[in-house]
Amino acid sequence: MIEFGYSRAVDAADAIRRAEGGARYLGGGTNLVDLMRQDVEGPTALVDVSGLSRSITETADGGLLIGAATRNTAVAEHSAVRTRYPMLTRAIVAGASGQIRNMATVGGNLLQRTRCPYFYDTDGARCNKRSPGEGCDAVEGINRDHAILGASPSCVATHPSDMCVALAALDAVVHLRSSAGERTVALCDLHRLPGDRPDVETVLERGELITAVELPAPGFAARSTYRKVRDRASYAFALVSVAAALDLDGDAITGVRLALGGVAPKPWRAWRAEEMLRGGGATVENFARAADAELAEARPLAGNAFKVGLARRTIVAVLRQLTEGART
Ligand code: SF4
């Protein structure tokens, strides 16, 4: 049995004070508690922040501010999210079972850890993320689900969140607070690539608390979607996912957002593809060229070369769907 302390924070300042000795923040517990049960993580103390802000409020510039303790279900079902940011609702609903969505919080979703099976195998598997410097059994092992973009020889794990892929495409901003004050970080900059320190997954400082996620306007309600390709229709992580939004003027692309999941150690904003698409024609040929440009840096492993073609086809199919939707 693992012994650990538990306390419940009454507000953000109280949570930060309680975490000063190195305690971990506990949201819905849908990932951290599993990691503790499986002996992957062993925090000496937990500060429960699941009772902090669960509000979803309008911002002055027409966006939404979502409290970090808001449950995933509440976000997905909120009328403003459904009508103005439908790709976010789609991503959350694709993300987990209803029971897990009812418990999981927005802040916790951002910080959930990889589902690489070697990371969870504490009976002999080598994992640099769990035990820095130990080695990585996935590189030469079973790596069908692993990364093709942004990985390193130290770690080839993927980030598991669906919600984060939509947030990356929506240019979401993460609000943080610590004893040093408050700051914001773009969602696209929150997660780190592994390099030689795969155990350091985000740019969060020690004790820093996620207090909210801000969605800027516009939400691309008219032409946006999230598509997840996976082995089963439910309760499975993405092999490839695509969050996409298009603005069109006739057949010309005036605005585009594209982010990928299931292919990289962080939610992968497809900046290169966006650059190629912007200002061009909304044609299948251009979609394919943009996908190829984004995937030119792909470095597939022995077991996951199929992901390159799958990502290419999914990008093209989603952009085509959004274009045809605009013409009908
Ligand atoms: Fe660990 Fe990353 Fe290697 Fe998986 S891919 S075993 S998480 S170091």
Side-chain angles (χ1 to χ4, degrees):
M1 190 173 88
I2 307 168
E3 291 194 3
F4 58 89
Y6 171 88
S7 65
R8 211 172 158 77
V10 296
D11 56 31
D14 182 42
I16 291 161
R17 229 177 1 256
R18 288 174 186 272
E20 270 169 5
R24 293 284 306 278
Y25 296 122
L26 176 70
T30 55
N31 187 214
L32 180 55
V33 172
D34 284 349
L35 291 164
M36 292 170 68
R37 282 195 185 115
Q38 295 185 241
D39 217 13
V40 178
E41 292 210 43
T44 55
L46 297 177
V47 175
D48 189 337
V49 293
S50 64
L52 305 190
S53 174
R54 294 183 186 176
S55 62
I56 299 178
T57 53
E58 299 282 343
T59 63
D61 66 358
L64 289 179
L65 189 68
I66 303 171
T70 311
R71 306 290 179 176
N72 282 189
T73 297
V75 178
E77 292 181 352
H78 194 277
S79 60
V81 176
R82 280 194 290 116
T83 54
R84 285 154 52 189
Y85 305 90
M87 83 158 73
L88 181 56
T89 291
R90 290 181 76 100
I92 292 173
V93 170
S97 68
Q99 293 91 334
I100 290 175
R101 292 199 298 273
N102 289 342
M103 283 300 293
T105 62
V106 168
N109 193 313
L110 265 51
L111 299 183
Q112 64 176 300
R113 306 196 71 189
T114 184
R115 295 326 196 262
C116 171
Y118 299 103
F119 177 63
Y120 286 79
D121 179 2
T122 54
D123 287 333
R126 295 178 308 146
C127 173
N128 286 320
K129 191 182 280 295
R130 179 166 33 77
S131 305
E134 189 174 68
C136 169
D137 276 346
V139 171
E140 300 291 336
I142 298 170
N143 46 39
R144 178 176 181 271
D145 295 335
H146 289 70
I148 56 172
L149 290 165
S152 77
S154 296
C155 180
V156 291
T158 54
H159 193 270
S161 171
D162 291 286
M163 186 186 82
C164 285
V165 182
L167 292 178
L170 290 166
D171 274 342
V173 174
V174 183
H175 289 238
L176 305 172
R177 180 167 168 175
S178 70
S179 55
E182 295 179 306
R183 65 176 178 136
T184 57
V185 173
L187 187 282
C188 291
D189 297 330
L190 179 72
H191 302 94
R192 290 179 71 257
L193 292 178
D196 58 3
R197 288 298 307 272
D199 54 312
V200 183
E201 295 174 356
T202 69
V203 299
L204 291 182
E205 301 289 344
R206 183 182 163 92
E208 207 164 24
L209 176 69
I210 296 174
T211 57
V213 172
E214 184 175 347
L215 303 179
F220 293 96
R223 282 180 288 281
S224 68
T225 194
Y226 182 78
R227 186 179 296 190
K228 178 175 181 176
V229 183
R230 49 187 158 174
D231 285 327
R232 299 185 300 272
S234 70
Y235 210 70
F237 292 93
L239 293 168
V240 169
S241 68
V242 174
L246 276 183
D247 268 338
L248 297 174
D249 182 2
D251 281 341
I253 299 170
T254 54
V256 56
R257 304 284 186 86
L258 197 61
L260 309 178
V263 294
K266 61 182 283 183
W268 190 264
R269 183 73 179 262
W271 299 110
R272 283 184 191 199
E274 288 185 14
E275 197 178 320
M276 283 197 71
L277 289 165
R278 204 170 290 115
T283 65
V284 170
E285 293 73 27
N286 281 346
F287 299 156
R289 263 197 292 273
D292 288 340
E294 192 63 45
L295 294 165
E297 297 294 314
R299 298 288 178 268
L301 302 158
N304 67 4
F306 75 96
K307 279 193 177 186
V308 179
L310 185 61
R312 183 183 194 270
R313 291 192 298 277
T314 310
I315 291 168
V316 172
V318 165
L319 292 174
R320 191 173 176 180
Q321 172 198 333
L322 295 179
T323 306
E324 287 171 357
R327 288 179 181 138
T328 54

